[in-house]
Amino acid sequence: MNTINRTFDNENYSIQQVSDMTGLSKQVIRKWEERHEIVQPKRLDNGYRTYSKKDVNVLLSVKTLADQGLSIKQAATLVIQENANVEKTIKQVPIQQIDDLNNHVFQLIEKGTHCDEVEINLVLQQAFHQHGLSNFLTSVVVPFLQEIGKRWEKGEWDAFQESISSMVVRDFLVQIRRNFKYRENAPLVLGACLPNEQHEIPVQILLLQLMQLGWRTLLVGSSPAPGSLESIVDKLKPVKVLLSASTTIPFEMNPLLLKEIDDFAYKNKHIDICLGGYGAVSYSKGQTLKALRIVQSIEDVVENRTT
């Protein structure tokens, strides 16, 4: 615990930590430093390099631009100019805003690289107590999950690294929800993934955001059995139902699924039934629905439905 605070509160990172956080090898970091002067790390008395938070963000920005097709020299020039508030001139390539990543996200990336469940959980606890729930979700959890996805897609993380990191985040969010205080007469929103959808963390995040707005929530979980959702809705009679599909797999497995959900929503017009997630939004695009609402944000979920 003391090691974590001492290492990161001072924003001094070793080259191994920077390698873990950026996905760049130590050799590449040194090469970029020497050839392109992208970063200028400090040197300890023993000669070891130490890097700042700004250094890590610069390396991540250069890496992002290189992934978009720029040469390292072009990317380095663009990032250096950006940091100096000089007008960008290289083909109007947008720089992704990497500098929003904070120290806790850096720590989570490093611990996730080594599949260290205990340390990931400790960092999440620190971040939660420091930021408060709302900022914790938006500035720590979401950016970390996005980094997990990027590294998985690029092959920088293997399935075990992705699974462990996501699992610890999910379990931590579950504990927050279980300990959250709400009024017994608060309106109920029921959350669930569609059948064959395993990514439940987006639903967890939305439910926590709704709880902050005064809702009582219940999560059915990932990939519920067909027909079980309808039974639960009939029994609990929630005010809202929030369904999620981060992938299009549920619709590929059952081409009639969207129509079945829409029919269910039409039969239960007194309940605001919403469907969100990247997979659901992309699959339903251009389709006419009778009662099911497609949502893309927390604002869409909480808005008053007009019937």
Side-chain angles (χ1 to χ4, degrees), residues 274-286:
C274 310
L275 176 63
Y278 177 80
V281 172
S282 61
Y283 186 84
S284 61
K285 189 174 182 179

Side-chain angles (χ1 to χ4, degrees), residues 182-188 214-216:
Y182 56 84
R183 290 188 175 90
E184 289 298 326
N185 63 348
L188 174 64
W215 292 78
R216 182 165 50 100

Side-chain angles (χ1 to χ4, degrees), residues 95-120:
I95 294 181
Q96 294 187 13
Q97 295 300 316
I98 302 297
D99 56 0
D100 286 337
L101 296 184
N102 55 51
N103 290 342
H104 289 117
V105 179
F106 290 155
Q107 294 178 63
L108 290 168
I109 294 170
E110 185 204 10
K111 305 308 179 185
T113 299
H114 297 288
C115 301
D116 195 330
E117 296 180 50
V118 173
E119 291 293 334
I120 294 173

